[in-house]
Amino acid sequence: MKKNYLLAPGPTPVPERALLAMAAPVIHHRTPQFSAIFKETAELLRYVFQTKGDVLMLSASGTGAMEGSIVNLFSPGDEVIVINGGKFGERWGQISEKYGLKVHWIKVEWGDAVDPATVAKLMGENPNVKGILCQASETSTTVQHPVEELAKLTKDKDCLLIVDGITAVGVADMPMDKWGIDVLVSGSQKALMLPPGLAFAALSDKAWKFNETSTCPRYYFDFAKERKNLHKDTSAYTPAVGLITGLRESLLMIKEEGLENTFKRHDRLARAARAAMTALGLKLLAPENPSFATTGVYVPEGVDGAKFVKYMRDTMGVTMAGGQDHLKGKIFRIAHLGYVATFDMIIAVAAIEMGLTKCGHTLEVGKGVAAAELILMEGYE
Ligand SMILES: *Cc1c(COP(=O)(O)O)cnc(C)c1O
């Protein structure tokens, strides 16, 4: 028998509580029964996004909320700065260019975080820039960008800070209102512990002002229309009834744990992952500004990275992600976001130790697990 473990940075494991809620018969969406679920879920989203404003629920994968943010806030010809430090940063720029925006790219080495001074300088040279687009956690390179610092740059300017928080919301402290983030985007299949299919976008008052004058073409992702419907406890088009029913449960789980504790858990799991890998003599991809959501590790010399990830998945039943683009076969990524707790990390580290050994690398079996345990024990009184 083989038991499977999903430890990839999306999709992530779904808790039994959410699965059971989603197993209930589908109810009609234009009913007081569903509106009650919708309303409660919208309120819970405000808590998790740390905003007093509205959080829109869209039926799409996370990229839908990214595209929606561009088309609802800008017009062709508008200038934006894109922080491109990985696959998802690149995506912000690609969407922007598709809609005729003028992109000022900031290329960041994969594994590094952006320097806010670079952004400030580019803003100074291009006073017409209307938006800064970045990731909070760049999942492809396992880096955390300095969102709080970036928010200071846009705060009192006619410029929006748009943050892809797809592996940051519900992982790391990202107080949207307090920091002055203008748009915070997320998706269901990461820290929100659901199957893929829902995307979220929260907008500041300043962002809603931009929405009034934006002329990019849009139909399905019409944020003003969605907001109008949200205020009536419904959505513009048929919502993903099952997913939203599950979402209420997963958000309640976050609320019951308490956001503060949720962030602490993710930080602890991330530190355990880094300590374990370091103890095994492996090199981290982002030692300086590591993401709370996922840890990137270089595959040791002499091991075929693609084969190693495949071996763990197909032979051992432990799914982790490899690298993308030029990091393909060179790194693997341990995910520790969402419905992941202490003993899932033991599984992850043990699988890496065994998998690497089976792939011909010499290491001291158990050394990584021991290092992880010492940190994971902090989670208990
Ligand atoms: C997963 C992810 C996305 C893309 O989301 P999809 O759901 O695949 O559209 C975007 N940004 C980041 C940082 C992600 O981790």
Side-chain angles (χ1 to χ4, degrees):
M1 191 197 81
K2 189 172 79 190
K3 194 165 169 183
N4 291 311
Y5 303 90
L6 183 57
L7 292 163
T12 64
V14 179
E16 295 77 359
R17 201 169 142 181
L19 289 172
L20 282 171
M22 290 185 291
V26 173
I27 62 173
H28 195 274
H29 56 292
R30 308 291 183 204
T31 57
Q33 289 77 13
F34 185 69
S35 283
I37 295 174
F38 199 84
K39 185 176 181 177
E40 186 185 348
T41 308
E43 203 48 52
L44 288 164
L45 279 170
R46 286 183 218 272
Y47 170 72
V48 173
F49 277 69
Q50 303 191 63
T51 180
K52 287 197 175 66
D54 296 315
V55 185
L56 305 177
M57 286 178 252
L58 310 165
S59 300
S61 81
T63 307
M66 293 173 76
E67 177 159 341
S69 302
I70 305 282
V71 300
N72 279 277
L73 301 173
F74 300 112
S75 306
D78 279 355
E79 293 179 40
V80 293
I81 289 175
V82 167
I83 293 159
N84 175 18
K87 281 309 272 183
F88 296 111
E90 188 178 63
R91 187 169 300 176
W92 270 137
Q94 287 171 345
I95 300 170
S96 301
E97 288 184 341
K98 273 274 184 242
Y99 284 97
L101 275 59
K102 182 174 187 299
V103 175
H104 300 279
W105 294 90
I106 295 183
K107 183 86 189 120
V108 180
E109 201 62 47
W110 284 35
D112 289 347
V114 72
D115 179 357
T118 310
V119 183
K121 183 163 173 282
L122 199 58
M123 283 175 79
E125 290 162 3
N126 299 280
N128 292 326
V129 162
K130 288 187 148 182
I132 312 287
L133 304 168
C134 74
Q135 273 53 47
S137 154
E138 172 54 79
T139 319
S140 64
T141 64
T142 68
V143 163
Q144 198 91 4
H145 285 303
V147 173
E148 186 175 10
E149 297 308 309
L150 296 176
K152 287 178 189 154
L153 302 177
T154 53
K155 198 150 191 159
D156 301 311
K157 295 207 179 66
D158 198 30
C159 179
L160 301 176
L161 177 66
I162 302 185
V163 178
D164 166 359
I166 296 181
T167 52
V169 173
V171 176
D173 196 18
M174 203 64 47
M176 177 173 176
D177 292 358
K178 188 172 148 205
W179 285 359
I181 297 169
D182 293 300
V183 181
L184 187 56
V185 163
S186 195
S188 54
Q189 81 278 24
K190 309 276 171 109
L192 302 184
M193 309 184 280
L194 283 183
L198 287 178
F200 310 97
L203 276 68
S204 69
D205 290 340
K206 190 162 103 185
W208 283 114
K209 274 261 168 292
F210 273 58
N211 175 246
E212 289 170 14
T213 56
S214 148
T215 64
C216 276
R218 53 186 180 260
Y219 187 87
Y220 186 68
F221 295 126
D222 183 335
F223 284 6
K225 191 169 179 182
E226 285 299 342
R227 179 159 75 153
K228 215 190 252 170
N229 279 278
L230 182 70
H231 290 168
K232 293 185 282 185
D233 304 323
T234 189
S235 57
Y237 309 104
T238 310
V241 171
L243 288 172
I244 291 172
T245 307
L247 178 63
R248 177 175 61 170
E249 292 305 318
S250 59
L251 295 176
L252 277 170
M253 284 175 67
I254 294 176
K255 183 142 194 211
E256 285 161 16
E257 182 180 34
L259 262 189
E260 197 67 22
N261 290 328
T262 303
F263 302 147
K264 275 191 193 149
R265 170 169 54 88
H266 283 93
D267 173 51
R268 191 165 60 243
L269 298 174
R271 281 188 291 116
R274 297 196 295 269
M277 294 304 107
T278 307
L280 290 171
L282 301 176
K283 206 170 139 239
L284 302 174
L285 171 63
E288 300 295 331
N289 300 282
S291 165
F292 280 25
T294 175
T295 298
V297 186
Y298 283 102
V299 175
E301 202 81 38
V303 173
D304 179 332
K307 246 192 210 157
F308 164 60
V309 169
K310 189 171 178 300
Y311 183 84
M312 281 200 292
R313 184 190 65 217
D314 296 343
T315 306
M316 304 173 71
V318 180
T319 298
M320 287 184 210
Q324 292 164 289
D325 283 2
H326 65 274
L327 292 179
K328 213 173 187 137
K330 298 207 171 75
I331 62 156
F332 61 93
R333 288 174 290 158
I334 312 165
H336 31 73
L337 76 164
Y339 189 48
V340 177
T342 302
F343 294 98
D344 297 305
M345 290 312 295
I346 299 296
I347 290 168
V349 176
I352 291 164
E353 291 181 349
M354 293 191 252
L356 282 177
T357 305
K358 288 287 186 184
C359 288
H361 181 67
T362 307
L363 52 75
E364 193 183 320
V365 170
K367 205 170 174 185
V369 170
E373 281 182 36
L374 289 176
I375 288 172
L376 294 168
M377 270 193 274
E378 291 173 14
Y380 303 99
E381 290 294 309

